[in-house]
Amino acid sequence: MKADPRGVLSGVHFLDGDQACAEGALAAGCRFAAGYPITPSTEIVERFAQRVPLLGGMFLQMEDELAASIAIQGAVWAGAKAFTVTSGPGFSLMMEHIGYAAMTETPCVIVDVQRGGPSTGLPTLPAQADMQQARWGSHGDYELIALAPNSPQECFDLTIEAFNLAERYRTPVLLMMDEIVGHMTERVEIPPAEQIELVPRRYTTKPPAEYQPFAPEADLVPAMVRAGQGYRFHITGLTHDERGYPTTSVAAHDRLVRRLVAKIRNHAAQLTRVEEHFLEDAEVIVLAYGITSRVALRAVQMARARGIAAGLLRPILIWPFLEARLRQLARRPGLSGILVAEINLGQIVREVERCVGAQVPVQLAGHAGGSVHHPQELFEAIVQMAHAVEIER
Amino acid sequence: MSTQQSLPPNPVETLLRTDRMPHIWCPGCGIGTTMNCFARALQQARLDLDKVVIVSGIGCTGRVAGYAHLDSFHTTHGRAIPFATGLKLANPELTVVVYSGDGDLIAIGGNHFIHAARRNVDLKVICVNNFIYGMTGGQVGPTTPATALTSTTPYGCPEQPFNLPHLAESAGAVYVARWTAYHVRQITHSMVEMFRKSGFCFLEILSPCPTLYQRRNRLGDGLEAMKYYKEASVTRHGAPTKEVALSFQGPIVVGKFVDVERPTYLELLNQQLARALEAQYTGCIEEHVRG
């Protein structure tokens, strides 16, 4: 289905990432947000709160992030598209409800504009240190989807994508922004509504007597219902059977949790979204995402100017991880190593190591947060990686 | 079997998920009694049951949602109210009931309780107060009477409990009543009144926990609790809520304490937006939100 033109501010704008994210949500048909103020994410809901009443929706400021992250799920089960927005400390509080959304297969979007941590950390300065928390932060086994934009334009585009993926897979989708992307102002082009494709909610076509809330369709995703339609359905965070009824059966638990994981994992290849530069002949691959990818591209260009065959691999969709593509690249002869640049002390690098094993050296160019890397720093790391291999040879 | 077939069906059965019986509640527990009242109240109020949604948190009373044959949500611990808030605001035509226990609504969920009351979100909040955490084995809670024994206050509870009607009224509830599991007709009547009223409504129902609270405090079984409720209860409609605090085996003031009119959150939101945006404002929610 196409976007509702009333929510789409088509045209060319000069927006920061936070504002672009709010516009993305509106374009995606989101008319309900709940949130709790936290730097550097607040501008998203400020813009949403200003715009959405004119579109027949609402923003609700809740008493904390626990409330915000569950209020949106109540709204979803009433039929709305809904999202919430936060940063590190609030993201920590939302973990339980990410698990609830995963378990109850509630499509929703949670935006984390990352700042320096741990704890209150650096409220006004960037980091990318919530990346593993995004994947593993709630207890128990589950899979979800996380995206990492590197520009205000992508904050717009990927917010729409996040809503679409949430509906497609009935899963929480995390938009992992960072303070710089959130606060940097750039050209943002918002296309006409008829060019924005939206994934509608997958409502069941079965009558109440035949409907089972958690009986999966062929792609392992069950069709949904909403409250007030006569289905008299039950939703619980307890382990449940296909009827939605709680059970402590080990077999039912196995069936449920494996399906929750598989419905995402089985589609990992379709979910891969990457941007690649100069990979054809690259000896050194720099893997970077979010704001760091822009610094990394600069470093790669510096290396190329000095005759070093460097390339950039930017995962746009972080979870599930781009395992297949990475393994394929790692097998290529002539590759000296993979340099992972991220604003943390080693999170996604662990995933890269897991995927490529001992095939190629993997090295972290970490940063504790508060700033981006200096391109020179990454350039030097590329040079070192290229030379280390030369010396070995 | 043949004797069962000859019995007339229980009138509340259509409101129960009979395929989930037997339930998990202990013999003598009062939660099932309150649920019976709830089913009867739904029938008496003649609501469109397809538009009634029940939301519970976690705990013994949290299981009510799972036994009610309605659209029903068993949410996370303490968060039934914010979930219900999102549900109600995104579809105002629903009647949204929050049905949970004292620990869930008042301890871990206390912050949401006071804020939803302050906002006057149109929710019917039913709190079964058994003075204890039952599901986890009888620990002290925010409603445990001072001196009472629990598994985590084995020498007696030193704390002052919340006076729930007073808390609810102070935070802004428009309807506040308290009964015990002995007062089945009154509970049903209060529930019907809540269904017919807009705004944040609160009903506290004292209920025996024979397995944990009664036994540890040597208060006998469920029947003993009923005798206590019968003898100790004094009905005082309109009693100032600050005077209705409970004490260990002390007198119990029951009745409807608060029944006032105040615009709901949605009404206020619509008024405010209409005033600020004038003709640009075409109304909140309804189909716009639900897409």
Side-chain angles (χ1 to χ4, degrees), chain A residues 56 58 60-61 63 74 78-79 97 100 228 232-236 245, chain B residues 17 19 50-51 69 71-72 74 76 87 112 119 265 285 288 290:
Chain A
M58 66 160 65
L60 185 63
Q61 188 158 308
E63 50 274 12
H97 292 145
Y100 188 74
R232 309 278 185 102
F233 60 99
H234 183 58
I235 299 297
T236 177
Y245 286 2
Chain B
R17 295 184 195 275
D19 55 346
D50 287 345
K51 302 290 179 195
H69 191 226
D71 286 345
S72 54
H74 182 228
T76 52
L87 188 71
H112 312 308
R119 291 187 189 104
Y265 174 79
I285 309 302
H288 296 304
R290 294 198 297 279

PDB file of all heavy atoms in Angstrom, chain A residues 56 58 60-61 63 74 78-79 97 100 228 232-236 245, chain B residues 17 19 50-51 69 71-72 74 76 87 112 119 265 285 288 290:
ATOM      1  N   GLY A  56      -4.505  13.705  13.058  1.00  0.00           N
ATOM      2  CA  GLY A  56      -5.438  12.842  13.778  1.00  0.00           C
ATOM      3  C   GLY A  56      -4.773  11.813  14.653  1.00  0.00           C
ATOM      4  O   GLY A  56      -5.355  10.781  14.963  1.00  0.00           O
ATOM      5  N   MET A  58      -1.672  11.102  18.057  1.00  0.00           N
ATOM      6  CA  MET A  58      -1.276  11.688  19.328  1.00  0.00           C
ATOM      7  C   MET A  58       0.106  11.262  19.782  1.00  0.00           C
ATOM      8  O   MET A  58       0.587  10.186  19.454  1.00  0.00           O
ATOM      9  CB  MET A  58      -2.280  11.340  20.431  1.00  0.00           C
ATOM     10  CG  MET A  58      -2.336   9.874  20.798  1.00  0.00           C
ATOM     11  SD  MET A  58      -3.068   9.665  22.426  1.00  0.00           S
ATOM     12  CE  MET A  58      -4.705  10.251  22.089  1.00  0.00           C
ATOM     13  N   LEU A  60       1.972  10.863  23.491  1.00  0.00           N
ATOM     14  CA  LEU A  60       1.661  10.762  24.901  1.00  0.00           C
ATOM     15  C   LEU A  60       2.969  10.729  25.674  1.00  0.00           C
ATOM     16  O   LEU A  60       3.785   9.838  25.454  1.00  0.00           O
ATOM     17  CB  LEU A  60       0.878   9.464  25.119  1.00  0.00           C
ATOM     18  CG  LEU A  60       0.333   9.191  26.498  1.00  0.00           C
ATOM     19  CD1 LEU A  60      -0.677  10.251  26.899  1.00  0.00           C
ATOM     20  CD2 LEU A  60      -0.326   7.815  26.510  1.00  0.00           C
ATOM     21  N   GLN A  61       3.173  11.729  26.512  1.00  0.00           N
ATOM     22  CA  GLN A  61       4.383  11.688  27.331  1.00  0.00           C
ATOM     23  C   GLN A  61       4.105  10.894  28.595  1.00  0.00           C
ATOM     24  O   GLN A  61       3.268  11.264  29.397  1.00  0.00           O
ATOM     25  CB  GLN A  61       4.877  13.083  27.662  1.00  0.00           C
ATOM     26  CG  GLN A  61       6.232  12.994  28.351  1.00  0.00           C
ATOM     27  CD  GLN A  61       7.012  14.268  28.242  1.00  0.00           C
ATOM     28  OE1 GLN A  61       7.201  14.806  27.146  1.00  0.00           O
ATOM     29  NE2 GLN A  61       7.432  14.779  29.367  1.00  0.00           N
ATOM     30  N   GLU A  63       5.241   8.483  32.114  1.00  0.00           N
ATOM     31  CA  GLU A  63       5.958   8.751  33.353  1.00  0.00           C
ATOM     32  C   GLU A  63       7.355   8.150  33.369  1.00  0.00           C
ATOM     33  O   GLU A  63       8.175   8.515  34.199  1.00  0.00           O
ATOM     34  CB  GLU A  63       5.143   8.264  34.555  1.00  0.00           C
ATOM     35  CG  GLU A  63       4.620   6.834  34.458  1.00  0.00           C
ATOM     36  CD  GLU A  63       3.282   6.731  33.715  1.00  0.00           C
ATOM     37  OE1 GLU A  63       2.870   7.714  33.081  1.00  0.00           O
ATOM     38  OE2 GLU A  63       2.661   5.655  33.782  1.00  0.00           O
ATOM     39  N   GLY A  74       0.209  -1.415  23.604  1.00  0.00           N
ATOM     40  CA  GLY A  74      -1.242  -1.349  23.769  1.00  0.00           C
ATOM     41  C   GLY A  74      -1.880  -0.701  22.550  1.00  0.00           C
ATOM     42  O   GLY A  74      -2.892  -1.176  22.017  1.00  0.00           O
ATOM     43  N   ALA A  78      -4.512  -2.088  19.562  1.00  0.00           N
ATOM     44  CA  ALA A  78      -5.758  -1.406  19.207  1.00  0.00           C
ATOM     45  C   ALA A  78      -5.811  -1.122  17.712  1.00  0.00           C
ATOM     46  O   ALA A  78      -6.814  -0.648  17.198  1.00  0.00           O
ATOM     47  CB  ALA A  78      -5.879  -0.097  19.987  1.00  0.00           C
ATOM     48  N   GLY A  79      -4.704  -1.372  17.006  1.00  0.00           N
ATOM     49  CA  GLY A  79      -4.697  -1.202  15.561  1.00  0.00           C
ATOM     50  C   GLY A  79      -3.778  -0.122  15.041  1.00  0.00           C
ATOM     51  O   GLY A  79      -3.650   0.057  13.841  1.00  0.00           O
ATOM     52  N   HIS A  97      10.355  -4.712  27.716  1.00  0.00           N
ATOM     53  CA  HIS A  97       9.253  -4.628  26.756  1.00  0.00           C
ATOM     54  C   HIS A  97       9.678  -4.946  25.337  1.00  0.00           C
ATOM     55  O   HIS A  97       8.843  -5.243  24.487  1.00  0.00           O
ATOM     56  CB  HIS A  97       8.545  -3.283  26.895  1.00  0.00           C
ATOM     57  CG  HIS A  97       7.833  -3.208  28.207  1.00  0.00           C
ATOM     58  ND1 HIS A  97       7.712  -2.058  28.933  1.00  0.00           N
ATOM     59  CD2 HIS A  97       7.249  -4.187  28.946  1.00  0.00           C
ATOM     60  CE1 HIS A  97       7.053  -2.328  30.060  1.00  0.00           C
ATOM     61  NE2 HIS A  97       6.776  -3.609  30.085  1.00  0.00           N
ATOM     62  N   TYR A 100       8.882  -8.429  25.577  1.00  0.00           N
ATOM     63  CA  TYR A 100       7.430  -8.650  25.501  1.00  0.00           C
ATOM     64  C   TYR A 100       6.956  -8.551  24.047  1.00  0.00           C
ATOM     65  O   TYR A 100       6.146  -9.367  23.588  1.00  0.00           O
ATOM     66  CB  TYR A 100       6.692  -7.637  26.377  1.00  0.00           C
ATOM     67  CG  TYR A 100       5.202  -7.920  26.494  1.00  0.00           C
ATOM     68  CD1 TYR A 100       4.747  -8.979  27.275  1.00  0.00           C
ATOM     69  CD2 TYR A 100       4.257  -7.151  25.827  1.00  0.00           C
ATOM     70  CE1 TYR A 100       3.382  -9.262  27.377  1.00  0.00           C
ATOM     71  CE2 TYR A 100       2.897  -7.423  25.927  1.00  0.00           C
ATOM     72  CZ  TYR A 100       2.463  -8.477  26.704  1.00  0.00           C
ATOM     73  OH  TYR A 100       1.126  -8.754  26.803  1.00  0.00           O
ATOM     74  N   GLY A 228     -11.257  -5.598  19.924  1.00  0.00           N
ATOM     75  CA  GLY A 228     -12.547  -5.000  19.612  1.00  0.00           C
ATOM     76  C   GLY A 228     -13.219  -5.536  18.369  1.00  0.00           C
ATOM     77  O   GLY A 228     -14.208  -4.974  17.905  1.00  0.00           O
ATOM     78  N   ARG A 232     -11.991 -12.315  20.615  1.00  0.00           N
ATOM     79  CA  ARG A 232     -11.829 -12.789  21.997  1.00  0.00           C
ATOM     80  C   ARG A 232     -10.510 -13.545  22.173  1.00  0.00           C
ATOM     81  O   ARG A 232     -10.483 -14.693  22.621  1.00  0.00           O
ATOM     82  CB  ARG A 232     -13.001 -13.684  22.400  1.00  0.00           C
ATOM     83  CG  ARG A 232     -14.376 -13.083  22.137  1.00  0.00           C
ATOM     84  CD  ARG A 232     -14.806 -12.137  23.233  1.00  0.00           C
ATOM     85  NE  ARG A 232     -16.171 -11.687  22.993  1.00  0.00           N
ATOM     86  CZ  ARG A 232     -17.236 -12.167  23.632  1.00  0.00           C
ATOM     87  NH1 ARG A 232     -17.100 -13.104  24.542  1.00  0.00           N
ATOM     88  NH2 ARG A 232     -18.429 -11.692  23.352  1.00  0.00           N
ATOM     89  N   PHE A 233      -9.443 -12.918  21.736  1.00  0.00           N
ATOM     90  CA  PHE A 233      -8.132 -13.571  21.760  1.00  0.00           C
ATOM     91  C   PHE A 233      -7.397 -13.263  23.050  1.00  0.00           C
ATOM     92  O   PHE A 233      -7.726 -12.319  23.761  1.00  0.00           O
ATOM     93  CB  PHE A 233      -7.311 -13.129  20.550  1.00  0.00           C
ATOM     94  CG  PHE A 233      -7.056 -11.632  20.497  1.00  0.00           C
ATOM     95  CD1 PHE A 233      -5.852 -11.111  20.934  1.00  0.00           C
ATOM     96  CD2 PHE A 233      -8.018 -10.765  20.004  1.00  0.00           C
ATOM     97  CE1 PHE A 233      -5.609  -9.728  20.894  1.00  0.00           C
ATOM     98  CE2 PHE A 233      -7.793  -9.389  19.964  1.00  0.00           C
ATOM     99  CZ  PHE A 233      -6.587  -8.874  20.410  1.00  0.00           C
ATOM    100  N   HIS A 234      -6.385 -14.084  23.324  1.00  0.00           N
ATOM    101  CA  HIS A 234      -5.575 -13.880  24.521  1.00  0.00           C
ATOM    102  C   HIS A 234      -4.107 -13.734  24.142  1.00  0.00           C
ATOM    103  O   HIS A 234      -3.581 -14.510  23.351  1.00  0.00           O
ATOM    104  CB  HIS A 234      -5.733 -15.058  25.496  1.00  0.00           C
ATOM    105  CG  HIS A 234      -4.978 -14.850  26.778  1.00  0.00           C
ATOM    106  ND1 HIS A 234      -5.209 -13.765  27.592  1.00  0.00           N
ATOM    107  CD2 HIS A 234      -3.992 -15.566  27.381  1.00  0.00           C
ATOM    108  CE1 HIS A 234      -4.405 -13.832  28.647  1.00  0.00           C
ATOM    109  NE2 HIS A 234      -3.656 -14.913  28.538  1.00  0.00           N
ATOM    110  N   ILE A 235      -3.472 -12.742  24.730  1.00  0.00           N
ATOM    111  CA  ILE A 235      -2.049 -12.481  24.477  1.00  0.00           C
ATOM    112  C   ILE A 235      -1.334 -12.517  25.816  1.00  0.00           C
ATOM    113  O   ILE A 235      -1.779 -11.888  26.778  1.00  0.00           O
ATOM    114  CB  ILE A 235      -1.870 -11.077  23.833  1.00  0.00           C
ATOM    115  CG1 ILE A 235      -2.610 -10.982  22.491  1.00  0.00           C
ATOM    116  CG2 ILE A 235      -0.389 -10.738  23.673  1.00  0.00           C
ATOM    117  CD1 ILE A 235      -2.123 -11.922  21.416  1.00  0.00           C
ATOM    118  N   THR A 236      -0.237 -13.234  25.875  1.00  0.00           N
ATOM    119  CA  THR A 236       0.521 -13.303  27.126  1.00  0.00           C
ATOM    120  C   THR A 236       2.013 -13.343  26.841  1.00  0.00           C
ATOM    121  O   THR A 236       2.440 -13.852  25.801  1.00  0.00           O
ATOM    122  CB  THR A 236       0.113 -14.539  27.955  1.00  0.00           C
ATOM    123  OG1 THR A 236       0.942 -14.590  29.127  1.00  0.00           O
ATOM    124  CG2 THR A 236       0.280 -15.848  27.195  1.00  0.00           C
ATOM    125  N   TYR A 245      -2.631 -19.602  24.606  1.00  0.00           N
ATOM    126  CA  TYR A 245      -2.829 -19.991  26.001  1.00  0.00           C
ATOM    127  C   TYR A 245      -1.487 -20.330  26.655  1.00  0.00           C
ATOM    128  O   TYR A 245      -0.641 -20.989  26.031  1.00  0.00           O
ATOM    129  CB  TYR A 245      -3.735 -21.231  26.086  1.00  0.00           C
ATOM    130  CG  TYR A 245      -5.197 -20.972  25.804  1.00  0.00           C
ATOM    131  CD1 TYR A 245      -5.658 -19.713  25.444  1.00  0.00           C
ATOM    132  CD2 TYR A 245      -6.119 -21.999  25.907  1.00  0.00           C
ATOM    133  CE1 TYR A 245      -7.000 -19.491  25.177  1.00  0.00           C
ATOM    134  CE2 TYR A 245      -7.468 -21.790  25.649  1.00  0.00           C
ATOM    135  CZ  TYR A 245      -7.906 -20.532  25.275  1.00  0.00           C
ATOM    136  OH  TYR A 245      -9.232 -20.310  25.015  1.00  0.00           O
TER     137      TYR A 245
ATOM    138  N   ARG B  17     -13.170 -18.734  29.822  1.00  0.00           N
ATOM    139  CA  ARG B  17     -12.522 -19.691  28.918  1.00  0.00           C
ATOM    140  C   ARG B  17     -12.566 -21.043  29.624  1.00  0.00           C
ATOM    141  O   ARG B  17     -11.623 -21.424  30.319  1.00  0.00           O
ATOM    142  CB  ARG B  17     -11.075 -19.286  28.652  1.00  0.00           C
ATOM    143  CG  ARG B  17     -10.919 -17.975  27.913  1.00  0.00           C
ATOM    144  CD  ARG B  17      -9.445 -17.719  27.603  1.00  0.00           C
ATOM    145  NE  ARG B  17      -9.227 -16.331  27.220  1.00  0.00           N
ATOM    146  CZ  ARG B  17      -9.380 -15.866  25.991  1.00  0.00           C
ATOM    147  NH1 ARG B  17      -9.768 -16.660  25.026  1.00  0.00           N
ATOM    148  NH2 ARG B  17      -9.154 -14.595  25.735  1.00  0.00           N
ATOM    149  N   ASP B  19     -12.299 -23.863  28.500  1.00  0.00           N
ATOM    150  CA  ASP B  19     -11.275 -24.816  28.048  1.00  0.00           C
ATOM    151  C   ASP B  19      -9.956 -24.648  28.798  1.00  0.00           C
ATOM    152  O   ASP B  19      -9.031 -25.412  28.603  1.00  0.00           O
ATOM    153  CB  ASP B  19     -11.054 -24.706  26.529  1.00  0.00           C
ATOM    154  CG  ASP B  19     -10.706 -23.296  26.068  1.00  0.00           C
ATOM    155  OD1 ASP B  19     -10.883 -22.347  26.853  1.00  0.00           O
ATOM    156  OD2 ASP B  19     -10.243 -23.148  24.920  1.00  0.00           O
ATOM    157  N   ASP B  50     -17.747  -7.662  22.736  1.00  0.00           N
ATOM    158  CA  ASP B  50     -16.653  -7.634  21.760  1.00  0.00           C
ATOM    159  C   ASP B  50     -15.816  -6.362  21.889  1.00  0.00           C
ATOM    160  O   ASP B  50     -14.726  -6.269  21.331  1.00  0.00           O
ATOM    161  CB  ASP B  50     -17.199  -7.737  20.331  1.00  0.00           C
ATOM    162  CG  ASP B  50     -17.688  -9.151  20.020  1.00  0.00           C
ATOM    163  OD1 ASP B  50     -17.338 -10.083  20.782  1.00  0.00           O
ATOM    164  OD2 ASP B  50     -18.413  -9.312  19.024  1.00  0.00           O
ATOM    165  N   LYS B  51     -16.354  -5.396  22.615  1.00  0.00           N
ATOM    166  CA  LYS B  51     -15.628  -4.128  22.771  1.00  0.00           C
ATOM    167  C   LYS B  51     -15.071  -3.964  24.186  1.00  0.00           C
ATOM    168  O   LYS B  51     -14.634  -2.880  24.563  1.00  0.00           O
ATOM    169  CB  LYS B  51     -16.556  -2.938  22.462  1.00  0.00           C
ATOM    170  CG  LYS B  51     -17.154  -2.975  21.066  1.00  0.00           C
ATOM    171  CD  LYS B  51     -16.116  -2.725  19.995  1.00  0.00           C
ATOM    172  CE  LYS B  51     -16.750  -2.786  18.602  1.00  0.00           C
ATOM    173  NZ  LYS B  51     -15.711  -2.910  17.555  1.00  0.00           N
ATOM    174  N   HIS B  69     -13.238 -14.696  28.838  1.00  0.00           N
ATOM    175  CA  HIS B  69     -13.472 -14.910  27.410  1.00  0.00           C
ATOM    176  C   HIS B  69     -13.784 -13.568  26.751  1.00  0.00           C
ATOM    177  O   HIS B  69     -14.909 -13.270  26.347  1.00  0.00           O
ATOM    178  CB  HIS B  69     -14.607 -15.917  27.197  1.00  0.00           C
ATOM    179  CG  HIS B  69     -14.710 -16.355  25.774  1.00  0.00           C
ATOM    180  ND1 HIS B  69     -15.894 -16.432  25.098  1.00  0.00           N
ATOM    181  CD2 HIS B  69     -13.755 -16.718  24.888  1.00  0.00           C
ATOM    182  CE1 HIS B  69     -15.661 -16.829  23.857  1.00  0.00           C
ATOM    183  NE2 HIS B  69     -14.384 -17.014  23.711  1.00  0.00           N
ATOM    184  N   ASP B  71     -11.340 -10.167  24.649  1.00  0.00           N
ATOM    185  CA  ASP B  71      -9.993  -9.812  24.200  1.00  0.00           C
ATOM    186  C   ASP B  71      -9.201  -9.525  25.472  1.00  0.00           C
ATOM    187  O   ASP B  71      -9.621  -8.705  26.302  1.00  0.00           O
ATOM    188  CB  ASP B  71     -10.027  -8.568  23.311  1.00  0.00           C
ATOM    189  CG  ASP B  71     -10.592  -8.856  21.926  1.00  0.00           C
ATOM    190  OD1 ASP B  71     -10.692 -10.049  21.562  1.00  0.00           O
ATOM    191  OD2 ASP B  71     -10.934  -7.892  21.216  1.00  0.00           O
ATOM    192  N   SER B  72      -8.078 -10.219  25.628  1.00  0.00           N
ATOM    193  CA  SER B  72      -7.430 -10.165  26.937  1.00  0.00           C
ATOM    194  C   SER B  72      -5.912 -10.159  26.801  1.00  0.00           C
ATOM    195  O   SER B  72      -5.351 -10.851  25.947  1.00  0.00           O
ATOM    196  CB  SER B  72      -7.869 -11.372  27.764  1.00  0.00           C
ATOM    197  OG  SER B  72      -7.622 -12.573  27.065  1.00  0.00           O
ATOM    198  N   HIS B  74      -2.302 -10.341  29.003  1.00  0.00           N
ATOM    199  CA  HIS B  74      -1.522 -10.622  30.203  1.00  0.00           C
ATOM    200  C   HIS B  74      -0.174  -9.971  29.929  1.00  0.00           C
ATOM    201  O   HIS B  74       0.589 -10.464  29.095  1.00  0.00           O
ATOM    202  CB  HIS B  74      -1.427 -12.149  30.334  1.00  0.00           C
ATOM    203  CG  HIS B  74      -0.694 -12.635  31.532  1.00  0.00           C
ATOM    204  ND1 HIS B  74       0.279 -13.597  31.443  1.00  0.00           N
ATOM    205  CD2 HIS B  74      -0.815 -12.340  32.842  1.00  0.00           C
ATOM    206  CE1 HIS B  74       0.736 -13.873  32.665  1.00  0.00           C
ATOM    207  NE2 HIS B  74       0.096 -13.126  33.526  1.00  0.00           N
ATOM    208  N   THR B  76       3.283  -7.319  31.259  1.00  0.00           N
ATOM    209  CA  THR B  76       4.459  -7.508  32.119  1.00  0.00           C
ATOM    210  C   THR B  76       4.127  -7.024  33.538  1.00  0.00           C
ATOM    211  O   THR B  76       3.118  -6.350  33.757  1.00  0.00           O
ATOM    212  CB  THR B  76       5.661  -6.731  31.566  1.00  0.00           C
ATOM    213  OG1 THR B  76       5.271  -5.376  31.352  1.00  0.00           O
ATOM    214  CG2 THR B  76       6.136  -7.331  30.255  1.00  0.00           C
ATOM    215  N   LEU B  87      -3.806   1.248  24.665  1.00  0.00           N
ATOM    216  CA  LEU B  87      -4.928   0.546  24.031  1.00  0.00           C
ATOM    217  C   LEU B  87      -6.173   1.432  23.991  1.00  0.00           C
ATOM    218  O   LEU B  87      -6.835   1.581  22.955  1.00  0.00           O
ATOM    219  CB  LEU B  87      -5.204  -0.727  24.827  1.00  0.00           C
ATOM    220  CG  LEU B  87      -6.190  -1.743  24.305  1.00  0.00           C
ATOM    221  CD1 LEU B  87      -5.615  -2.461  23.086  1.00  0.00           C
ATOM    222  CD2 LEU B  87      -6.497  -2.770  25.386  1.00  0.00           C
ATOM    223  N   HIS B 112       2.758   4.104  37.589  1.00  0.00           N
ATOM    224  CA  HIS B 112       1.779   4.168  36.496  1.00  0.00           C
ATOM    225  C   HIS B 112       0.370   4.401  37.049  1.00  0.00           C
ATOM    226  O   HIS B 112      -0.434   5.099  36.450  1.00  0.00           O
ATOM    227  CB  HIS B 112       1.809   2.879  35.670  1.00  0.00           C
ATOM    228  CG  HIS B 112       3.197   2.467  35.283  1.00  0.00           C
ATOM    229  ND1 HIS B 112       4.067   3.331  34.669  1.00  0.00           N
ATOM    230  CD2 HIS B 112       3.869   1.298  35.449  1.00  0.00           C
ATOM    231  CE1 HIS B 112       5.225   2.710  34.462  1.00  0.00           C
ATOM    232  NE2 HIS B 112       5.130   1.474  34.927  1.00  0.00           N
ATOM    233  N   ARG B 119      -4.024  11.680  35.081  1.00  0.00           N
ATOM    234  CA  ARG B 119      -4.470  12.024  33.724  1.00  0.00           C
ATOM    235  C   ARG B 119      -5.960  11.778  33.527  1.00  0.00           C
ATOM    236  O   ARG B 119      -6.546  12.242  32.573  1.00  0.00           O
ATOM    237  CB  ARG B 119      -3.757  11.155  32.687  1.00  0.00           C
ATOM    238  CG  ARG B 119      -2.304  11.402  32.512  1.00  0.00           C
ATOM    239  CD  ARG B 119      -1.758  10.592  31.344  1.00  0.00           C
ATOM    240  NE  ARG B 119      -0.314  10.690  31.346  1.00  0.00           N
ATOM    241  CZ  ARG B 119       0.506   9.729  31.761  1.00  0.00           C
ATOM    242  NH1 ARG B 119       0.022   8.579  32.170  1.00  0.00           N
ATOM    243  NH2 ARG B 119       1.799   9.916  31.765  1.00  0.00           N
ATOM    244  N   TYR B 265      -8.874  12.255  30.099  1.00  0.00           N
ATOM    245  CA  TYR B 265      -7.681  12.677  29.358  1.00  0.00           C
ATOM    246  C   TYR B 265      -8.025  12.993  27.900  1.00  0.00           C
ATOM    247  O   TYR B 265      -7.630  14.031  27.377  1.00  0.00           O
ATOM    248  CB  TYR B 265      -6.605  11.588  29.419  1.00  0.00           C
ATOM    249  CG  TYR B 265      -5.413  11.899  28.557  1.00  0.00           C
ATOM    250  CD1 TYR B 265      -4.441  12.803  28.980  1.00  0.00           C
ATOM    251  CD2 TYR B 265      -5.269  11.335  27.293  1.00  0.00           C
ATOM    252  CE1 TYR B 265      -3.361  13.123  28.182  1.00  0.00           C
ATOM    253  CE2 TYR B 265      -4.193  11.654  26.483  1.00  0.00           C
ATOM    254  CZ  TYR B 265      -3.238  12.549  26.929  1.00  0.00           C
ATOM    255  OH  TYR B 265      -2.181  12.869  26.115  1.00  0.00           O
ATOM    256  N   ILE B 285      -7.541  10.638  17.116  1.00  0.00           N
ATOM    257  CA  ILE B 285      -7.777   9.201  17.235  1.00  0.00           C
ATOM    258  C   ILE B 285      -8.802   8.709  16.221  1.00  0.00           C
ATOM    259  O   ILE B 285      -8.807   9.129  15.096  1.00  0.00           O
ATOM    260  CB  ILE B 285      -8.206   8.860  18.691  1.00  0.00           C
ATOM    261  CG1 ILE B 285      -7.207   9.486  19.633  1.00  0.00           C
ATOM    262  CG2 ILE B 285      -8.268   7.379  18.938  1.00  0.00           C
ATOM    263  CD1 ILE B 285      -5.802   8.999  19.378  1.00  0.00           C
ATOM    264  N   HIS B 288      -8.083   7.459  12.254  1.00  0.00           N
ATOM    265  CA  HIS B 288      -6.777   8.000  11.865  1.00  0.00           C
ATOM    266  C   HIS B 288      -5.651   7.205  12.499  1.00  0.00           C
ATOM    267  O   HIS B 288      -4.668   6.873  11.876  1.00  0.00           O
ATOM    268  CB  HIS B 288      -6.645   9.457  12.305  1.00  0.00           C
ATOM    269  CG  HIS B 288      -7.602  10.368  11.651  1.00  0.00           C
ATOM    270  ND1 HIS B 288      -7.677  10.469  10.297  1.00  0.00           N
ATOM    271  CD2 HIS B 288      -8.528  11.216  12.160  1.00  0.00           C
ATOM    272  CE1 HIS B 288      -8.616  11.367   9.989  1.00  0.00           C
ATOM    273  NE2 HIS B 288      -9.145  11.809  11.102  1.00  0.00           N
ATOM    274  N   ARG B 290      -5.836   4.207  13.968  1.00  0.00           N
ATOM    275  CA  ARG B 290      -5.842   2.773  13.725  1.00  0.00           C
ATOM    276  C   ARG B 290      -5.490   2.421  12.280  1.00  0.00           C
ATOM    277  O   ARG B 290      -5.215   1.288  11.982  1.00  0.00           O
ATOM    278  CB  ARG B 290      -7.198   2.184  14.114  1.00  0.00           C
ATOM    279  CG  ARG B 290      -7.443   2.288  15.613  1.00  0.00           C
ATOM    280  CD  ARG B 290      -8.527   1.354  16.059  1.00  0.00           C
ATOM    281  NE  ARG B 290      -9.800   1.661  15.460  1.00  0.00           N
ATOM    282  CZ  ARG B 290     -10.611   2.615  15.885  1.00  0.00           C
ATOM    283  NH1 ARG B 290     -10.260   3.387  16.881  1.00  0.00           N
ATOM    284  NH2 ARG B 290     -11.765   2.806  15.308  1.00  0.00           N
TER     285      ARG B 290
END
